[in-house]
Amino acid sequence: MPLTPKQRLGPYAIVEMVGAGGMGEVYRARDTRLDRTVAIKILPAGTGTAASARFEREARAISQLSHPHICRLLDLGNDGGIEFLVMEYLEGETLAERIDNGPLPIREVLRYGSEIADALDHAHRRGITHRDLKPGNVMITAEGAKLLDFGLAKLLEPAPLVDSTATLQRPVTLTAHGTVVGTTLYMSPEQIEGKPLDHRTDIFSLGIVLYEMLTGARPFEGSSTAAVTASILKSDPQPLPMSLAVPAALQHVIATALEKDPEQRWQTAHDLALQLRWINGALSSELAATAVAPRRKRAAWLLLPLVLACGVAIGWMAGRAREPSQDAQLPVRLRMSVAPVSLRSHVEVVTFALSPEGRRVVFAGQEKGVTALYLRSLDSAQAQIIAGTEEGASPFWSPDGRWIGFTAKGKLWKVLADRSGTPIAICDVSVTGTVATWGDGFILYAERAGGRPGIHRVSENGGTPSAVTKLQPGEFRHTWPQFVPGSNRFVYLSLPLEKMDRTLFVARLDAFDQRRLLDETSRARAVGDRVYYVRDGSLVVQRADFAAARFLDEPRRLADQVAWFYGTGSAEFDVSANATVVYRTET
């Protein structure tokens, strides 16, 4: 029976019931010792040992957490066989109730989303996965979002089985606490399939919550439980309505969080929180104004473009002063479709790479359900699959154009560019999507978020990798390394711990010495004495003195509307040794 007003549980006097569900009943109560209002959650009688074990697990999970956006645990007790938790009492409404009143403004989505991501990151760093993230488990208070209900926390037991025969008559009622149906709407694909879970299942759920905050609807809908689960497992998310004018960067963040494959999602909640905070801070800037242009919405959301736009420019056009005798040598531009193969684009990996002589493009693509690397010669109408590169990502070339490197299945590989032979494993890497550059007999590589944070070096023939860079105070990760041909130097991006600045550094291979080259930029490509990079969607080039870490002239613009993502430094372009440029536009 429910507790009655003035009934006591130890020193706590019950005031009223404020909520109930399969995971327990919640009451507002008064702490008679400290004269404060608290929330008491009790386990209903007769619910069995399994529910009792979940209740105890929630207590243990919350007791490890101390974060401004997680509801605090104040006490734990048992009175007359009634087990109860005492938590801080929160004034406000659930996120589900807020969404019932309509979509949230973009700034509120960014604020609450980053706060929830911060709370998840705090839990994940302590080995705790929430597993039941949904709007009903988030309170909106005057201090911001507060994450509740760790009743399904930890990741040792399989997800509950789904009743595929149930009919969903009223989708808005499916989020009832503790019900399988309610949880199904926010489950990750691996959770639905009962696979082993890690913290990335929460990131998928957060992607659904972000989408719902923006639109008032969910990205995966259906009239029955089976239809919802099938949509989550097989269907692409519903495109965000263009009328909402959602910034392209935010669309990238949500789309990446909703990747079916956990390896393709954001790897940490910390990274996701940084993206959301940066977008929020940039909304009033010129960059954000460009990002919300309606013409870019659909392309930015799809992430799997069918067209590769190539700009071919003679090297002197980018770096030398114009001379009258050269006026006849105008840049040649062409547009190349890769259909029927579709590009496999991602904001933390390389989509394609141009060969050193500038005549072949290798790209990560998908055709007829097969994901692999494809090779396309610019004088050919067809792209050819490279055998043995299934699940391959982030391709890169050897300096002589004989080999193609890539990552797949937790390893760094190389394969002959003439498509003969089978791929050869070079070394293990922590996550698929590792980005790399090929030097004189060695490879520099950086792992995606969730892997090792520094840049490593390994022989092109394989062996044990060694660290090349060392994080300095305030740095979170080093990534996007690029060897400077003809030197012992390389450039790379430094990602700070608390801000969204992206700084390009140049360093020596024989004795690591960080030297700042450029701020607020994308990943860069070094060719000769020139550096190519993207800023505000424009591909530019500058001459540089790498030894002195300084530029020798002003940037020259080569192309506009180049696909890029400031949050990770991703930019979809490449440059060959003879200064041929290939890039993908946002459309």
Side-chain angles (χ1 to χ4, degrees):
M1 296 293 293
L3 301 182
T4 59
K6 298 184 180 181
Q7 185 174 342
R8 298 284 288 264
L9 288 179
Y12 305 103
I14 300 300
V15 177
E16 62 177 343
M17 179 186 287
V18 295
M23 294 303 297
E25 299 168 353
V26 180
Y27 294 84
R28 181 162 63 93
R30 185 171 61 87
D31 185 342
T32 59
R33 297 168 304 179
L34 301 176
D35 193 25
R36 62 179 176 179
T37 299
V38 297
I40 290 184
K41 181 174 181 178
I42 71 168
L43 182 65
T47 51
T49 57
S52 179
R54 286 196 300 270
F55 195 78
E56 292 178 7
R57 181 170 60 247
E58 179 174 10
R60 291 196 300 270
I62 299 176
S63 69
Q64 301 177 44
L65 306 177
S66 178
H67 191 274
H69 296 296
I70 295 178
C71 184
R72 288 184 297 125
L73 176 68
L74 304 176
D75 196 3
L76 173 68
N78 186 305
D79 188 331
I82 299 177
E83 298 177 88
F84 62 92
L85 300 177
V86 182
M87 299 172 290
E88 64 174 319
Y89 183 78
L90 301 176
E91 294 281 357
E93 61 182 343
T94 67
L95 181 57
E97 293 169 333
R98 177 71 64 89
I99 293 173
D100 283 343
N101 295 323
L104 279 64
I106 288 178
R107 284 194 177 275
E108 288 189 13
V109 172
L110 294 168
R111 176 194 173 187
Y112 298 143
S114 63
E115 291 171 350
I116 296 169
D118 281 335
L120 289 175
D121 179 61
H122 179 79
H124 294 167
R125 290 173 186 266
R126 285 150 185 81
I128 298 171
T129 303
H130 192 284
R131 300 199 307 171
D132 196 24
L133 177 62
K134 55 189 176 185
N137 283 340
V138 177
M139 283 288 292
I140 302 300
T141 71
E143 292 76 32
K146 292 272 191 175
L147 186 56
L148 314 173
D149 204 343
F150 280 79
L152 293 179
K154 300 293 187 183
L155 48 94
L156 297 180
E157 65 183 50
L161 296 177
V162 174
D163 178 6
S164 62
T165 63
T167 299
L168 309 187
Q169 300 293 341
R170 296 182 60 202
V172 295
T173 67
L174 298 181
T175 55
H177 291 273
T179 63
V180 173
V181 172
T183 301
T184 300
L185 294 172
Y186 301 91
M187 280 184 179
S188 65
E190 62 270 25
Q191 191 172 9
I192 289 174
E193 294 179 328
K195 294 180 178 178
L197 302 178
D198 61 23
H199 61 277
R200 292 173 297 185
T201 189
D202 287 343
I203 292 175
F204 187 91
S205 301
L206 180 53
I208 297 179
V209 172
L210 290 170
Y211 185 103
E212 189 172 359
M213 282 195 283
L214 280 170
T215 66
R218 303 179 193 90
F220 307 101
E221 292 283 6
S223 59
S224 69
T225 310
V228 173
T229 56
S231 180
I232 291 174
L233 291 172
K234 301 296 183 182
S235 301
D236 291 331
Q238 293 293 321
L240 287 165
M242 293 178 63
S243 59
L244 296 178
V246 179
L250 180 54
Q251 296 187 46
H252 274 301
V253 168
I254 296 174
T256 303
L258 293 177
E259 287 282 355
K260 311 287 187 196
D261 181 358
E263 291 290 340
Q264 301 302 316
R265 289 178 211 149
W266 300 109
Q267 296 299 291
T268 68
H270 175 77
D271 268 7
L272 198 156
L274 287 179
Q275 315 293 341
L276 295 174
R277 280 199 293 271
W278 174 80
I279 297 169
N280 197 19
L283 273 180
S284 59
S285 70
E286 181 179 354
L287 173 60
T290 302
V292 299
R295 66 180 179 274
R296 300 189 186 181
K297 288 297 174 295
R298 186 170 180 274
W301 173 253
L302 289 178
L303 285 180
L304 300 179
L306 295 178
V307 176
L308 180 68
C310 305
V312 182
I314 306 303
W316 55 261
M317 289 297 293
R320 299 179 184 174
R322 293 184 179 179
E323 301 173 8
S325 61
Q326 296 174 330
D327 285 345
Q329 294 179 293
L330 297 177
V332 177
R333 296 184 181 271
L334 64 91
R335 185 176 179 87
M336 184 182 78
S337 171
V338 300
V341 182
S342 60
L343 291 181
R344 299 287 292 174
S345 184
H346 190 280
V347 295
E348 281 201 278
V349 302
V350 173
T351 303
F352 55 84
L354 186 62
S355 62
E357 82 286 351
R359 296 183 59 83
R360 294 168 293 169
V361 176
V362 58
F363 61 93
Q366 185 178 59
E367 183 180 20
K368 297 179 180 178
V370 178
T371 301
L373 296 186
Y374 292 79
L375 185 63
R376 168 75 176 269
S377 181
L378 295 187
D379 61 2
S380 171
Q382 299 292 329
Q384 303 293 328
I385 191 170
I386 303 176
T389 63
E390 289 75 15
E391 301 181 28
S394 292
F396 59 100
W397 291 83
S398 64
D400 59 6
R402 183 169 176 246
W403 295 90
I404 294 172
F406 65 98
T407 57
K409 303 173 183 177
K411 292 184 182 293
L412 188 66
W413 305 80
K414 67 178 182 180
V415 65
L416 286 169
D418 63 7
R419 300 192 305 120
S420 66
T422 58
I424 300 172
I426 296 175
C427 66
D428 292 334
V429 293
S430 297
V431 289
T432 298
T434 294
V435 292
T437 180
W438 205 310
D440 185 13
F442 64 89
I443 292 170
L444 297 181
Y445 68 89
E447 299 178 355
R448 278 173 50 198
R452 290 173 292 185
I455 294 172
H456 287 72
R457 173 176 178 165
V458 66
S459 168
E460 64 181 16
N461 296 318
T464 302
S466 59
V468 174
T469 65
K470 181 180 180 181
L471 295 185
Q472 303 301 308
E475 289 186 311
F476 171 57
R477 194 154 54 97
H478 294 161
T479 187
W480 304 111
Q482 178 59 53
F483 180 62
V484 179
S487 75
N488 67 339
R489 291 180 169 83
F490 65 100
V491 295
Y492 66 95
L493 278 188
S494 168
L495 281 59
L497 188 61
E498 298 295 340
K499 299 181 293 184
M500 288 296 291
D501 298 331
R502 298 296 183 245
T503 302
L504 183 67
F505 282 95
V506 59
R508 289 166 52 189
L509 287 165
D510 53 356
F512 178 62
D513 58 339
Q514 258 184 342
R515 304 196 69 180
R516 184 187 301 267
L517 190 61
L518 185 66
D519 292 323
E520 299 180 4
T521 184
S522 74
R523 72 181 184 94
R525 187 77 160 84
V527 177
D529 64 348
R530 291 168 175 79
V531 178
Y532 297 77
Y533 59 91
V534 173
R535 175 172 283 176
D536 294 348
S538 294
L539 176 63
V540 300
V541 62
Q542 277 184 275
R543 291 179 61 234
D545 182 338
F546 293 104
R550 66 185 181 92
F551 287 107
L552 303 177
D553 61 5
E554 294 300 314
R556 296 172 182 265
R557 189 168 60 190
L558 301 180
D560 293 319
Q561 296 187 24
V562 177
W564 78 305
F565 185 55
Y566 183 83
T568 61
S570 171
E572 298 204 45
F573 77 94
D574 201 9
V575 187
S576 69
N578 67 354
T580 298
V581 178
V582 60
Y583 63 93
R584 184 179 72 83
T585 68
E586 287 198 349
T587 57

